[in-house]
Amino acid sequence: MKKIVALLLSIMMLALAAAPALADEPYEVSIQFVGLFEENRNIANVEAALNEITLEKIGCTVDIVPVFIGNLPSTTSLGVAGDEKLDIVVAGLTSPLDTMVKDELLLPLDELLAEYGQDAAKATEHVDAAQRINGVTYAISGYSYAALAAGFVYNKTMAEQYGIDMHDFMTMDDLTKVGETLKEHGVYLTTVGSSDQCYYKFFNGGDYFGNSAMGGILDPAHSTTVQNVYATEEMRDFWKTMKLWTDSGYMPADQLTDTTTVQEYFMQQHIFGTASSFDPGQISSWLNPNFEVGVVQLTDAVISTGSVDEFMLGIASNCRNPEKAMQLINLIYADPEVNNLLQYGVEGTDYLPVEGSDKVITFTGSQNEDHNSYYAPFVRYGTKMNCKVTAPLTEQYYEDLQAFEDSAAVSLSLGYTFDNDGFGAEAGAIAAVMAEKLPMLNAGMVSDVDAAADEFVKALEQAGINDAVKANQEQLDAFLANK
């Protein structure tokens, strides 16, 4: 009997001795990794390289979780609702920050930032207002260098071939003249497809509030007056230019029904270029092996809530270890090696260094030329100053980026978001009007722009846009009064 008791005591002691070891197992922080259709065959090796750093510096491991961009909203919302393991989640990219906060998908971060996130907070301090909802920080921007302008990406090889002068701050009239030249060679200037977005902003910038732009400010660096932007003369002139381009054959006549994307048209060289946001690194998103790409800046740079919130990292409200999640977010901003591993993968496998530089990389010649080894087209980690750049960008990029940021005006409404509670019915009605009428105006597929614009604005007013604009102005005035 004594032997049995002694054996049981020994087993209990062994179990107690083992318990702390189990409790000390490092926490695995999951982080969403948004993509399109990439296979991302090298994720395990990227995780292994990350873990060598994170285990030593913050005592955790990393689980990179691929998410198809189309499934991102449901993946996060259903994951929180079902109490699935979620830690670091993406905000802003497909779901507005304020919507995710209302849906209680994100934890407030201020206390966590103060204790564990000082580097992340410092890197984003000048855009901090846009990371807050009702004064509380809920996510950290991947665009701490947030200045953006309107721009135009174009086929530089074609421009040189046809003697086309592309330069910064081109006007719509300048682009019309480019269309005239291209028509002689059987190439379209551009296409807008069947877009029911406020396409004006891609050529002219501006701040737009609420779903379907339920109010906006065309010159946010100098004005805080919210308008129905679709009723402005600037918008009407833009639509008249779109009609001119289509009637003149500078845009495809079948763009409302053709399912070919703008990107596909550009890569196939059926169009010369497309409107796009502009910053010093934008060209790297449009690289093509068949021709050289160029990009020009169309408007002055502005730092706005929209540019800050385009991609953000937050912590899921059901996260089991928010402290470790915040420590990893902070390390992404503090440690260039962590930043670049998450952004580009493993050097030598997922990319190659460009000779003569430890900051410029290329996918050409690597196992990742097909972008299926490890590829992050929709994610922006840490600060750009810590992140390598893709050729044909050079190390000059970093100076250009800082100069561009320093030149930017700050939107007078930075940090403001429209609370559309109570406007659900109007938002649905406005969206329906836009889906029906805006594509034809954007594509220049109307017989009379003035008549079509009048009809569109009247339908928007009947749907309630004036009430939304009024509420926007009242909320913005209150926001500014409390800044």
Side-chain angles (χ1 to χ4, degrees):
M1 183 68 179
K2 290 181 180 179
K3 290 182 179 179
I4 294 174
V5 171
L7 179 61
L8 290 172
L9 285 171
S10 297
I11 292 171
M12 289 175 64
M13 291 176 67
L14 287 170
L16 289 171
L22 292 172
D24 289 338
E25 283 292 313
Y27 185 76
E28 183 180 67
V29 180
S30 68
I31 181 168
Q32 289 180 333
F33 182 73
V34 185
L36 199 54
F37 300 112
E38 302 83 17
E39 294 179 29
N40 288 308
R41 297 182 292 262
N42 199 38
I43 281 181
N45 289 334
V46 177
E47 289 174 340
L50 282 168
N51 291 342
E52 288 185 16
I53 302 170
T54 57
L55 277 170
E56 177 185 349
K57 292 193 173 183
I58 56 176
C60 73
T61 59
V62 180
D63 178 24
I64 299 172
V65 182
V67 182
F68 172 60
I69 189 169
N71 295 338
L72 180 59
S74 59
T75 296
T76 303
S77 60
L78 293 177
V80 169
D83 199 26
E84 298 174 13
K85 186 180 184 303
L86 291 174
D87 295 309
I88 300 174
V89 294
V90 171
L93 185 62
T94 56
S95 298
L97 177 63
D98 61 322
T99 300
M100 295 182 72
V101 171
K102 286 178 187 176
D103 293 342
E104 299 183 342
L105 301 179
L106 300 173
L107 286 177
L109 300 183
D110 289 302
E111 291 184 6
L112 290 165
L113 282 165
E115 188 165 358
Y116 304 106
Q118 294 93 338
D119 295 295
K122 184 172 178 57
T124 59
E125 61 185 352
H126 69 296
V127 295
D128 180 56
Q131 301 176 148
R132 295 177 175 272
I133 302 295
N134 296 325
V136 178
T137 306
Y138 284 95
I140 298 297
S141 177
Y143 287 94
S144 54
Y145 284 78
L148 281 179
F152 194 85
V153 175
Y154 67 96
N155 186 323
K156 189 174 182 180
T157 301
M158 191 180 294
E160 293 174 353
Q161 181 181 356
Y162 300 146
I164 296 171
D165 174 29
M166 297 296 293
H167 54 272
D168 289 339
F169 301 102
M170 296 180 75
T171 65
M172 298 300 282
D173 288 341
D174 292 332
L175 289 172
T176 298
K177 292 174 183 176
V178 172
E180 293 174 9
T181 300
L182 291 167
K183 185 178 180 181
E184 298 173 5
H185 301 280
V187 179
Y188 295 117
L189 170 64
T190 190
T191 179
V192 301
S194 57
S195 172
D196 62 356
Q197 300 183 65
C198 179
Y199 214 80
Y200 170 94
K201 67 182 179 182
F202 297 111
F203 288 89
N204 299 282
D207 259 0
Y208 304 88
F209 310 124
N211 295 335
S212 307
M214 294 194 298
I217 302 174
L218 297 184
D219 185 10
H222 301 99
S223 173
T224 58
T225 300
V226 182
Q227 299 174 280
N228 173 3
V229 294
Y230 301 105
T232 62
E233 286 302 314
E234 291 90 340
M235 190 72 68
R236 191 166 296 223
D237 288 343
F238 172 76
W239 290 328
K240 287 178 179 178
T241 299
M242 294 298 100
K243 178 172 172 55
L244 170 64
W245 288 0
T246 296
D247 288 351
S248 301
Y250 306 160
M251 294 200 297
D254 61 347
Q255 57 187 319
L256 287 179
T257 55
D258 189 347
T259 58
T260 307
T261 66
V262 173
Q263 291 81 0
E264 288 171 333
Y265 260 132
F266 183 66
M267 296 306 176
Q268 295 163 5
Q269 303 191 67
H270 292 314
I271 62 172
F272 175 67
T274 182
S276 171
S277 58
F278 175 90
D279 67 29
Q282 182 63 28
I283 192 172
S284 64
S285 301
W286 292 88
L287 296 181
N288 189 288
N290 299 316
F291 57 87
E292 189 177 357
V293 176
V295 59
V296 293
Q297 180 180 348
L298 299 181
T299 64
D300 290 329
V302 177
I303 298 173
S304 68
T305 302
S307 57
V308 175
D309 292 0
E310 187 172 340
F311 180 91
M312 311 183 81
L313 294 178
I315 298 177
S317 57
N318 68 324
C319 174
R320 290 155 171 72
N321 195 330
E323 293 79 10
K324 285 299 175 191
M326 177 52 71
Q327 287 179 44
L328 180 56
I329 289 175
N330 192 65
L331 196 62
I332 291 169
Y333 285 83
D335 190 319
E337 190 173 359
V338 171
N339 184 330
N340 285 290
L341 277 167
L342 277 168
Q343 193 70 58
Y344 295 117
V346 178
E347 182 177 321
T349 301
D350 301 308
Y351 66 89
L352 298 173
V354 170
E355 187 175 354
S357 175
D358 61 355
K359 294 182 178 180
V360 182
I361 68 170
T362 180
F363 299 112
T364 304
S366 73
Q367 298 178 27
N368 200 22
E369 281 194 276
D370 63 356
H371 292 325
N372 276 316
S373 178
Y374 183 90
Y375 186 56
F378 297 113
V379 290
R380 297 292 179 269
Y381 294 118
T383 172
K384 292 179 180 178
M385 285 299 178
N386 284 344
C387 202
K388 298 179 180 181
V389 295
T390 308
L393 294 176
T394 67
E395 292 187 20
Q396 179 63 35
Y397 163 80
Y398 300 101
E399 291 185 23
D400 293 343
L401 177 65
Q402 188 64 59
F404 185 69
E405 190 78 7
D406 292 343
S407 75
V410 177
S411 169
L412 298 177
S413 56
L414 180 68
Y416 170 71
T417 55
F418 176 48
D419 184 351
N420 63 1
D421 280 353
F423 285 90
E426 288 88 346
I430 291 168
V433 171
M434 290 186 180
E436 177 188 355
K437 300 182 182 298
L438 190 50
M440 292 182 290
L441 281 160
N442 282 338
M445 298 287 190
V446 295
S447 58
D448 184 306
V449 171
D450 286 321
D454 288 342
E455 182 181 328
F456 178 47
V457 170
K458 182 178 179 181
L460 288 175
E461 291 174 346
Q462 291 173 341
I465 198 168
N466 287 342
D467 291 336
V469 168
K470 180 181 178 182
N472 247 307
Q473 187 70 68
E474 290 172 351
Q475 290 182 26
L476 176 56
D477 290 343
F479 169 81
L480 294 173
N482 292 320
K483 282 185 71 172

